[in-house]
Structures are given as structure tokens and as C-alpha cells.
Amino acid sequence: MAQDIASTIASSIGDLDAEPVLRAVEVVCSLISWSVLASAHKAGYGGLFEYDNYTPLNFLLAVGILQWGFAIGIVAVKKANLLDATTTAKCELYGTVVVCAMIYTGAVAGAASSTQNHDEFGGNDSSTCNPRGAGSSVKKKAQFFCSRVSASVVFAFFATAAAAGSLALILVKQRGADPDARPTDAYNPIGVPPPEPGAYSVPSTHMEGVGSDSIPQTKDAAVDL
């Protein structure tokens, strides 16, 4: 019973047309993430408020662009049928796994960098980017920079969730479409798997040592009766 319920749920999930929605969420969230982060750039002050001076933020920007491009590319390939079904399925599966892992890593790295910046700029109050003893211009630049980084990290986590949803849906659909899968509830009393097509051969009717001349002819006797 439990197996039947699980199979029904998996089949229902596989029939959902949620993949385009999830891909759209990936495109939008990753675009917002990397574009907002790219705007976190205020020249001067020794590069303190420039994202490209922070390695974790550079990585987050790169993986955001990667996810954005991949989500658009895989949808275009599927819609235009540029590759055969098997190749497309493999590229979609493995590509989504890599992208999901990388955007999650980038989001975590960006969050760590944002926390460190808040600690450095906020002084005793790490919830704000308000450098103590600095002028109003510096404080505004710090707040601008920190707010952009924080927003980028948030949307990176949203993009991660969408990528994870896309991956789960791909796995369910590909498992349900496996041509080698056999029904497990078929009646099979002795537990022997069914043979492959063409496994049976027709036995020969030829008998060693017996020819056509040795077979008694009973046709005439039947007629006499």
C-alpha cells in the first residue's frame, strides 16, 4: 500500500508542468543577484566599498551569471530541439547539479563576506554598516555597499531553492521515463524475471537416425478402412 501511494505521488509530481516556472524563477533571481552585486561599487577609500576587492563576492557574481546563462540556455535547447533527447536529458541533469551546488556555495560565501563587512563597518552594532568616526559621505557609501551585498545574497539563496526544485523535478521525470524500468507488481510466483524478446528459440523437429523412409506409411491402410 505504501509503495502504491509513493508511486502515485511520484507520478503526479512528474506530470506537473512546473519546470518552466522554476527555470523562470532561476533566471529572475540569479539576474537580480548578480546585477545588484555588480552595482555594489563605490570608488575610492582604498577599494573598501568595491565588490571586486572581495574574493567571495567575485565568486558569487560569477556563479550568478553562470546560473542565469545556463537556465536560459537549457530552456532554449529544449524548445528548439537542438540536441537529441538523450543528450539533452544528460546535459540538463548534470548541468543542474553543478549549477545548484555552485550557486549554493556562492550564496554561503557571500553571506559570510557580508557578515564580516557588517562586523568591520558597524563597530559595536554589527547589524548596520555605519563606520564610527567617519563622515556622512563615507557612511552613505558603506550603507549602499552593504545593502547591495545583502540583497544579492538573499536572491542567491532564492535562486538556489529554485535550482534545487528544478533538480528534484528532473530526477522524478527521468526516473518515470526510464525505458528499462520493469513493473514490480507483476504476478511472478517463482521470482524469475521475464525473458528478453527473442530469447526463445524454436526447437528442431529433426531426429537423429530417423529419416523420411523409416516412417510407416499408413495412408493406404486408412483408406481401406
Side-chain angles (χ1 to χ4, degrees):
M1 177 63 72
Q3 184 177 2
D4 294 339
I5 294 175
S7 177
T8 302
I9 294 175
S11 177
S12 300
I13 295 175
D15 292 337
L16 294 177
D17 195 20
E19 186 179 355
V21 177
L22 291 172
R23 290 301 187 190
V25 173
E26 285 189 68
V27 170
V28 173
C29 290
S30 59
L31 174 61
I32 294 176
S33 177
W34 71 259
S35 61
V36 168
L37 183 57
S39 68
H41 188 284
K42 290 294 184 180
Y45 306 99
L48 192 62
F49 307 127
E50 300 174 18
Y51 77 88
D52 46 345
N53 285 325
Y54 299 89
T55 301
L57 300 183
N58 282 322
F59 179 73
L60 176 58
L61 179 71
V63 296
I65 295 175
L66 174 65
Q67 183 184 23
W68 177 69
F70 174 78
I72 294 176
I74 196 63
V75 171
V77 168
K78 293 177 68 175
K79 293 295 183 181
N81 293 324
L82 298 180
L83 300 173
D84 61 272
T86 302
T87 303
T88 300
K90 289 182 179 180
C91 292
E92 184 178 27
L93 175 60
Y94 298 140
T96 304
V97 170
V98 172
V99 166
C100 185
M102 293 188 70
I103 190 64
Y104 173 74
T105 305
V108 172
S113 180
S114 177
T115 301
Q116 182 179 5
N117 289 335
H118 276 77
D119 290 339
E120 292 180 358
F121 301 155
N124 294 329
D125 186 5
S126 61
S127 63
T128 62
C129 278
N130 191 12
R132 292 180 302 173
S136 59
S137 177
V138 176
K139 291 182 178 180
K140 288 181 179 179
K141 291 180 183 297
Q143 293 172 359
F144 177 89
F145 176 78
C146 290
S147 63
R148 294 298 188 277
V149 173
S150 298
S152 175
V153 170
V154 169
F155 279 98
F157 277 113
F158 287 156
T160 301
S166 296
L167 178 59
L169 192 60
I170 291 169
L171 292 173
V172 170
K173 285 187 174 182
Q174 290 192 5
R175 182 179 180 183
D178 186 2
D180 296 330
R182 297 180 181 275
T184 57
D185 56 348
Y187 179 68
N188 191 358
I190 60 177
V192 178
E196 299 292 336
Y200 288 123
S201 60
V202 179
S204 173
T205 57
H206 178 71
M207 299 177 62
E208 295 293 338
V210 179
S212 59
D213 296 338
S214 62
I215 300 176
Q217 304 295 324
T218 59
K219 181 178 179 181
D220 294 339
V223 173
D224 292 341
L225 292 176

